[in-house]
Amino acid sequence: MAQSLSVRGLFRARRDGSYAAASTGYALLALALMMAVVCGVALGAYAIPLPRLGDALLMRAGEGLAAADVHVLWSIRLPRVLLAVICGAALALGGCALQGLFRNPLADPGLIGLSAGAALAAALAIVLGGQLFGPLARSFGLYLIPAAALLGAALAAWLILRLASHHGRTSVLMLLLAGIAINALCGAIIGGLQFVANDDQLRNLTFWTLGSLAQGRWPVVAITAAALGLGGVVLWRLRLQLDALNLGESAAYHLGVDVQRLKLWLLAAVTLMVGVSVAFTGIIGFIGLVAPHIVRTWLGPSHRHALLASALLGAVLLVSADLAARTWVAPAEMPVGVLTSLLGTPFFLMLLARRRHGFD
Amino acid sequence: MSMESEGLHAHAVELVRHGRRILRGVSVTVRAGELVAVIGENGAGKSSLLKVMAGELRPDGGSVSLDGRLMTALGARALARRRAVLPQDLALGFDFEALEVVLLGRYPHTGGGESSAERAFAMHCLALTECAHLAHQRTTTLSGGERARVQLARVLAQLGREGEGGRYALLDEPAASLDLSHQLALFELLARLTRESGIGVLVTVHDLGLAMRYADRIVVLRGGSVVGETPGSLDEELIRTAFGVEAEVRRHPQVRHCMVALNRVAHPGAG
């Protein structure tokens, strides 16, 4: 009885109104991430039993099965699972930071159109890149699509900020409406691109709009990790200013925060992380909404903990979602974005219902 | 331009917002160790004056200086080390614990490092506003008055310890949501801050009794202009000019002056 009460206390705001200890939170999240990663690399269409996993990890390639283990683990599973860790963390961090900026738990990179902007630009690069830039595109190679996605995300971020802010105040209703508009526009253009695309490009495009981690290869892991690292460092340094912003923009100024500068750095960091992540995985919705929300109700909203804990939880969620997407209908594969949206939408609606009277 | 060096000065400040003149040539001074109350009817420009003196709004004419330096020459961080502000309608986006809110006040001094000494000091500030028992409550679970006292503790934390350079506090209607007992406690605390720590306090207040009892000076605003400035007591003429209310001010053996409001009358010269 006592034990069940304390377990429940971990996930619910406690009765005295305080939050769970951050150290407990980090420990549990780290454990969950480890378990998710182990399951993620071991399970799939080709399962690697746990006893053989260690050998494969150390690249002890022997004959037959062991050689296959090493190949599957190092060329397929590990980069894919690491990409899920990185992109899950990036999306959750991006969501957490945007929510801190807009002081509202509904600001998610997908919902407000940041991801769609990135996806549109990536789609344009896929379909028209070769024709428009020709040799240039080929020499850019792997970097053309993330560069385009970054640009698209930045444009969307700028548009969102212009549409939703008026005289230094940000209207959440405008934010969500702007998100709808940007999402619809980008969706329409991507749809149009599907007509002019050839078969190869078409497969590529579908995957973009639904989201998938199938592009997980080592160079991709390196690029997304760099973007996450850069953006993450910026956000980590802004964590206390984000906390101050929770009192509102003028009170943050009273506390010595240069609010305009904070906004620019924050959007730049989120754009970088989310843009690059979307460039390789397509639109994976709701991680950025769900992870920070759970973390806040559990460990409290202070960004000293919310940022890092969101990143961990986001990684856990995306690794698990990808595992489910790979194994549920194996050997076929479900787009992971479909899965996160299926699970995330009810969560979003619940949040909306709870805050029905909170709009201005 | 001649400028006294010590003190927080608004000098002939003009402010225009949305085509309306909000402040018309307002000059107000708060010196270290002085409690200045600003009174006036709704829309007289009290909050705007406070925002201009806090550096939040840039005046369209005139200037504001803090201890001899123009406000525009001070960065946000430097300014935050010298003055703290309690705005009127603070709404938290997310549900922080009271202690976390108070610790935000330490940001300009520490950059956010949260040592046990900082936490102890934040707890001390909470105790000063009689909120120590609320330290680990989330702010949404607090009453309006409790929230106001937690925010006041945050302002105290920002003013800082002796020698940290906090000099001025600008408080917009800090008594608005407090009960009678906590209103008195608030003004006792402000009076102590000015006397013992040499903090200069500018406070807007609606209760003229509190203003007369505790303020070293009272500045009376009407229609964006200063229509009177008195040490201590208000006379009936000034109250009529500022509020359009006929009142009687009486001496009181314990609290210097008290006031009885009698009737609404037309503003002299209003029309």
Side-chain angles (χ1 to χ4, degrees), chain A residues 171-329:
Chain A
S171 156
V172 179
L173 189 61
M174 276 306 292
L175 190 70
L176 292 178
L177 290 177
I180 292 173
I182 293 172
N183 275 323
L185 180 69
C186 293
I189 299 178
I190 292 175
L193 283 174
Q194 292 178 341
F195 275 106
V196 297
N198 61 35
D199 274 358
D200 236 13
Q201 293 168 337
L202 194 62
R203 209 172 316 120
N204 230 343
L205 273 180
T206 318
F207 145 105
W208 235 263
T209 46
L210 297 177
S212 163
L213 291 155
Q215 288 232 354
R217 279 167 287 134
W218 286 111
V220 173
V221 170
I223 295 172
T224 48
L228 173 67
L230 271 176
V233 166
V234 171
L235 289 184
W236 182 247
R237 295 181 61 116
L238 296 177
R239 67 195 185 282
L240 301 155
Q241 302 191 23
L242 265 172
D243 277 357
L245 199 60
N246 190 41
L247 293 168
E249 291 189 14
S250 26
Y253 168 74
H254 296 151
L255 284 169
V257 175
D258 186 338
V259 176
Q260 285 313 313
R261 226 179 122 227
L262 169 65
K263 277 186 182 171
L264 282 178
W265 274 104
L266 219 134
L267 274 181
V270 173
T271 301
L272 175 69
M273 289 190 312
V274 174
V276 171
S277 162
V278 169
F280 292 109
T281 67
I283 299 179
I284 299 175
F286 292 98
I287 300 275
L289 183 84
V290 174
H293 185 78
I294 293 176
V295 163
R296 274 198 210 92
T297 43
W298 178 25
L299 301 176
S302 168
H303 293 88
R304 279 175 298 128
H305 303 307
L307 284 171
L308 188 52
S310 292
L312 287 171
L313 184 58
V316 173
L317 289 178
L318 192 52
V319 171
S320 313
D322 181 51
L323 179 61
R326 281 189 286 127
T327 50
W328 202 351
V329 287

Side-chain angles (χ1 to χ4, degrees), chain B residues 123-132 152-153 156 185 189 192-193:
Chain B
M123 280 304 292
H124 171 67
C125 295
L126 275 170
L128 282 176
T129 60
E130 298 175 18
C131 290
L152 185 68
L156 296 179
L189 180 66
R192 242 181 71 198
L193 270 183

Side-chain angles (χ1 to χ4, degrees), chain A residues 13-20 96 99-105 167 239-248 250-258 296 299-305 355, chain B residues 18 51 54-56 71 74-77 79-80 83-87 90-97 100-101 103-108 111-114 119 136-138 141 151 154 158:
Chain A
R14 294 191 286 186
R15 200 168 302 160
D16 64 353
S18 65
Y19 294 105
C96 188
Q99 288 154 24
L101 173 65
F102 293 113
R103 303 169 67 213
N104 193 293
H167 287 302
R239 67 195 185 282
L240 301 155
Q241 302 191 23
L242 265 172
D243 277 357
L245 199 60
N246 190 41
L247 293 168
S250 26
Y253 168 74
H254 296 151
L255 284 169
V257 175
D258 186 338
R296 274 198 210 92
L299 301 176
S302 168
H303 293 88
R304 279 175 298 128
H305 303 307
R355 301 177 59 88
Chain B
H18 311 298
K51 282 178 186 160
E56 186 183 336
M71 209 58 125
L74 289 163
R77 186 81 180 267
L79 202 52
R83 65 95 183 89
V85 186
L86 182 69
L90 268 177
L92 264 70
F94 293 107
D95 207 1
F96 278 41
E97 286 178 16
E100 290 179 316
V101 172
L103 278 165
L104 289 179
R106 301 301 301 154
Y107 172 74
E114 203 186 281
R119 292 178 77 88
H136 295 289
Q137 293 266 333
R138 285 169 296 144
T141 64
Q151 290 296 346
R154 174 180 64 82
Q158 189 180 348

Side-chain angles (χ1 to χ4, degrees), chain A residues 41-73:
Chain A
V41 294
L43 301 177
Y46 175 93
I48 309 173
L50 224 46
R52 278 173 17 213
L53 196 62
D55 281 343
L57 204 58
L58 296 171
M59 291 212 210
R60 277 193 217 131
E63 297 294 308
L65 270 184
D69 284 355
V70 170
H71 172 74
V72 167
L73 182 70

Side-chain angles (χ1 to χ4, degrees), chain B:
Chain B
M1 188 174 68
S2 77
M3 205 186 288
E4 296 172 66
S5 63
E6 280 287 288
L8 178 60
H9 300 275
H11 182 80
V13 162
E14 301 277 338
L15 186 71
V16 181
R17 302 279 278 172
H18 311 298
R20 260 182 69 204
R21 282 182 77 191
I22 308 286
L23 296 174
R24 304 159 187 259
V26 174
S27 295
V28 172
T29 294
V30 186
R31 292 187 191 82
E34 194 181 38
L35 178 57
V36 178
V38 179
I39 63 168
E41 60 189 357
N42 299 138
K46 303 186 293 292
S47 295
S48 300
L49 173 63
L50 202 113
K51 282 178 186 160
V52 168
M53 291 183 79
E56 186 183 336
L57 292 181
R58 209 167 262 218
D60 296 292
S63 63
V64 180
S65 68
L66 190 149
D67 289 343
R69 297 184 60 186
L70 277 176
M71 209 58 125
T72 44
L74 289 163
R77 186 81 180 267
L79 202 52
R81 288 201 192 102
R82 318 218 71 190
R83 65 95 183 89
V85 186
L86 182 69
Q88 217 178 110
D89 38 14
L90 268 177
L92 264 70
F94 293 107
D95 207 1
F96 278 41
E97 286 178 16
L99 184 63
E100 290 179 316
V101 172
V102 179
L103 278 165
L104 289 179
R106 301 301 301 154
Y107 172 74
H109 301 289
T110 64
E114 203 186 281
S115 62
S116 56
E118 291 300 328
R119 292 178 77 88
F121 182 62
M123 280 304 292
H124 171 67
C125 295
L126 275 170
L128 282 176
T129 60
E130 298 175 18
C131 290
H133 61 292
L134 304 174
H136 295 289
Q137 293 266 333
R138 285 169 296 144
T139 42
T140 45
T141 64
L142 303 178
S143 75
E146 287 171 337
R147 255 176 256 178
R149 275 148 54 207
V150 168
Q151 290 296 346
L152 185 68
R154 174 180 64 82
V155 167
L156 296 179
Q158 189 180 348
L159 288 172
R161 305 182 181 85
E162 207 84 37
E164 276 188 324
R167 307 260 299 163
Y168 303 98
L170 301 147
L171 315 173
D172 201 358
E173 303 273 4
S177 53
L178 300 183
D179 59 44
L180 204 52
S181 153
H182 281 109
Q183 286 185 10
L184 283 177
L186 165 74
F187 273 85
E188 289 288 347
L189 180 66
L190 295 183
R192 242 181 71 198
L193 270 183
T194 54
R195 270 200 319 271
E196 293 170 13
S197 309
I199 305 278
V201 176
L202 184 79
V203 57
T204 67
V205 59
H206 274 302
D207 186 327
L208 304 190
L210 284 173
M212 284 191 281
R213 179 167 174 189
Y214 291 102
D216 296 305
R217 274 185 301 123
I218 301 176
V219 175
V220 188
L221 279 183
R222 178 160 180 249
S225 307
V226 176
V227 293
E229 189 168 342
T230 84
S233 86
L234 292 160
D235 61 36
E236 281 118 11
E237 191 56 41
L238 196 50
I239 293 174
R240 178 194 279 261
T241 311
F243 296 98
V245 167
E246 193 185 348
E248 205 176 299
V249 177
R250 293 185 183 163
R251 296 200 146 272
H252 186 279
Q254 276 177 305
V255 298
R256 297 206 293 220
H257 300 281
C258 60
M259 186 204 74
V260 186
L262 298 173
N263 294 305
R264 294 185 72 183
V265 292
H267 270 302

